[in-house]
Amino acid sequence: MLNITNQKLLKAIAAESVRMTHYTSISETLRDKWIRAIAKGTAMLEGDTTFMHWDRTNKTLLFWSDGSNEIYTIGKECQCKAFANGVPCYHRAMRRLVEQYYDRLEKFSRVSQPSRAAKKEAALV
Ligand SMILES: [Zn+2]
């Protein structure tokens, strides 16, 4: 199960991902498909994440699809029909959103931890 508690952060990452599609040299059609994939991926992450698991080490997302009754291991590639047909799938969009989400959370927690030097300084005051 994924634990996406910071919905504001998820939405910010989704908006940024949509914005980034405009800075890549892809066709309009492909861009539209990626935007739809990002939107669906975001909606999925806002819903029930019981059957999703983030493998931090391998940077893969495990996802049980109730539509196909398959378990996908989503990395740079996906096992779904859309990916096999060269179409952007929401699984890969979702994987990227999850990766970005946990990377940012980790960064925030590092920034909010006072450094050793700051603690020493505070002790001297
Ligand atoms: Zn897929």
Side-chain angles (χ1 to χ4, degrees):
M1 177 174 179
L2 287 182
N3 199 12
I4 307 281
T5 52
N6 191 337
Q7 294 289 320
K8 200 175 169 185
L9 176 61
L10 176 66
K11 282 181 174 66
I13 293 167
E16 194 182 292
S17 299
V18 168
R19 216 172 21 252
M20 288 308 289
T21 64
H22 293 281
Y23 296 105
T24 53
S25 52
I26 54 175
S27 71
E28 255 326 94
T29 311
L30 194 57
R31 178 173 298 124
D32 287 349
K33 286 180 179 174
W34 270 118
I35 291 171
R36 274 197 294 275
I38 293 164
K40 186 168 180 185
T42 306
M44 294 294 287
L45 293 170
E46 287 171 337
D48 185 2
T49 58
T50 306
F51 298 106
M52 296 183 197
H53 173 73
W54 176 239
D55 181 340
R56 189 184 225 152
T57 311
N58 296 313
K59 303 246 179 208
T60 53
L61 179 68
L62 293 174
F63 170 69
W64 173 66
S65 167
D66 59 349
S68 66
N69 200 27
E70 299 276 336
I71 296 173
Y72 299 130
T73 303
I74 311 153
K76 300 273 181 214
E77 297 182 354
C78 188
Q79 293 93 43
C80 74
K81 281 182 189 167
F83 181 78
N85 293 323
V87 178
C89 65
Y90 73 91
H91 310 117
R92 288 194 302 146
M94 214 164 52
R95 188 208 72 87
R96 192 170 184 283
L97 291 165
V98 170
E99 180 181 33
Q100 297 275 310
Y101 179 84
Y102 285 119
D103 280 356
R104 301 268 171 94
L105 274 191
E106 203 173 291
K107 238 179 242 170
F108 289 156
S109 70
R110 258 188 270 136
V111 169
S112 60
Q113 299 270 327
S115 70
R116 203 180 250 183
K119 278 183 193 166
K120 238 182 194 175
E121 208 176 285
L124 293 173
V125 176

